[in-house]
Amino acid sequence: MQTATARQPFDPPAIPRAPSWIGGLYAQTLEDAAFLSGAALAHLQMVLGHAAVPPELLRDRLALRAAEVCLALSGRSERAGALRDAVHLLRPGDLPGPAGETYLAWQRAVRRPVSLAALHRALPAYAPDHIALWLDAGQGAPVTRAAAVLEAVLTEVPRAEVAALMLADAALAQALGWDHLVPLLATGVKRADLRKRGDDLQQACHRAVMASAVDIFPVASDLARRVARLHAVAPKLRAKKAADAVAMFLTSDAVAPAVLPLPDRAARRLCDRLVDLGAVRELTGRDTFRLYGV
């Protein structure tokens, strides 16, 4: 007889894989780099638009990665677990600290459609007019435009890595016609790239976009598989407002039981049930103050 927590088989969705040559070739010239990044972006467009890929959840997970990279560029060592704690375990009146602020900035940037208001909300230290001026620095093809924005911000404010990369990714999204910012430059640049200018910076940005796009493909495929599993087990959940709770897992990288629309004990039981069913994971390894995610 099958137990209550037995996992039912299901067919994972098939996400198109990127051609191996996109990430397997080294771009020695600016033209080569532009070609490869363009090919990577074209394939990424198909992945981002795939019905099985949860866009909000994917962007939220990439925001976590962008925060990790930006903190590393500034010499800090906070990893995903520490960043999740810095944001999700905040109590009213608590300050998130520099690491938490960086993570919150990226979360705000990816969760709303790209606009001056959304970017100012993510980067409150900079006036909307100033943000608009930086965004106008970029012209031409998408990555060329993004590189110009990156250079403009870093030339004026050399240590503003978060603002520079966020606005560069915003310019890239706008040039590509995307409604939302997707962290690509932020997750692909190297520390040395931020000191480059002109064609050297453009080439570095093409390489960063290509590398990030290639890295996103397995992340998107994994999320699609996990979300399909969550949808498959959702009908088994009997708790009131279970559907609302499931919807939160489909949009957020990590969820604390306390924020679910259920009484505390029922929320914790629901999370444990989802773990038993293989639909979500416990992300901290702790016995208390746990966080869960797809």
Side-chain angles (χ1 to χ4, degrees), residues 68-79 97-100 102 191:
E68 282 187 286
V69 173
C70 285
L71 289 166
L73 291 173
S74 65
R76 301 182 65 93
S77 59
E78 285 87 351
R79 305 296 293 175
T102 299
R191 188 191 301 269

Side-chain angles (χ1 to χ4, degrees), residues 266-280:
R268 286 186 278 112
R269 282 201 303 266
L270 176 66
C271 290
D272 290 340
R273 172 73 167 150
L274 288 171
V275 170
D276 289 341
L277 291 170
V280 303

Side-chain angles (χ1 to χ4, degrees), residues 2-223:
Q2 195 168 14
T3 65
T5 59
R7 300 183 183 183
Q8 297 288 344
F10 73 105
D11 294 325
I15 306 300
R17 296 183 179 181
S20 59
W21 55 264
I22 290 180
L25 298 177
Y26 180 75
Q28 296 184 350
T29 67
L30 181 57
E31 290 76 15
D32 290 342
F35 172 78
L36 291 173
S37 70
L41 285 170
H43 190 78
L44 180 61
Q45 179 83 37
M46 292 191 296
V47 172
L48 295 178
H50 197 285
V53 177
E56 297 92 346
L57 180 55
L58 177 60
R59 290 195 302 270
D60 215 48
R61 190 141 295 174
L62 294 176
L64 177 64
R65 176 59 182 151
E68 282 187 286
V69 173
C70 285
L71 289 166
L73 291 173
S74 65
R76 301 182 65 93
S77 59
E78 285 87 351
R79 305 296 293 175
L83 291 175
R84 288 183 177 123
D85 284 353
V87 169
H88 292 284
L89 301 184
L90 282 176
R91 296 180 178 180
D94 287 351
L95 296 176
E101 286 286 3
T102 299
Y103 184 21
L104 284 171
W106 279 106
Q107 279 189 333
R108 292 168 184 145
V110 303
R111 287 181 174 180
R112 296 189 178 189
V114 178
S115 66
L116 281 179
L119 292 170
H120 175 58
R121 183 171 178 268
L123 300 169
Y126 304 100
D129 289 348
H130 208 158
I131 292 174
L133 186 64
W134 278 329
L135 290 175
D136 286 342
Q139 301 294 330
V143 178
T144 301
R145 177 178 172 182
V149 172
L150 182 61
E151 182 170 347
V153 179
L154 290 177
T155 298
E156 187 172 344
V157 192
R159 300 187 65 181
E161 294 94 350
V162 173
L165 291 167
M166 189 179 295
L167 295 181
D169 273 323
L172 182 64
Q174 289 177 328
L176 291 168
W178 294 350
D179 291 335
H180 289 79
L181 183 156
V182 178
L184 292 175
L185 289 166
T187 56
V189 297
K190 309 297 184 186
R191 188 191 301 269
D193 293 338
L194 300 180
R195 297 192 292 271
K196 297 176 181 177
R197 296 293 183 265
D199 287 352
D200 289 341
L201 180 59
Q202 278 192 44
Q203 187 166 346
C205 287
H206 282 297
R207 286 197 300 265
V209 166
M210 180 184 67
S212 292
V214 170
D215 287 345
I216 285 175
F217 301 144
V219 176
S221 181
D222 181 63
L223 285 180

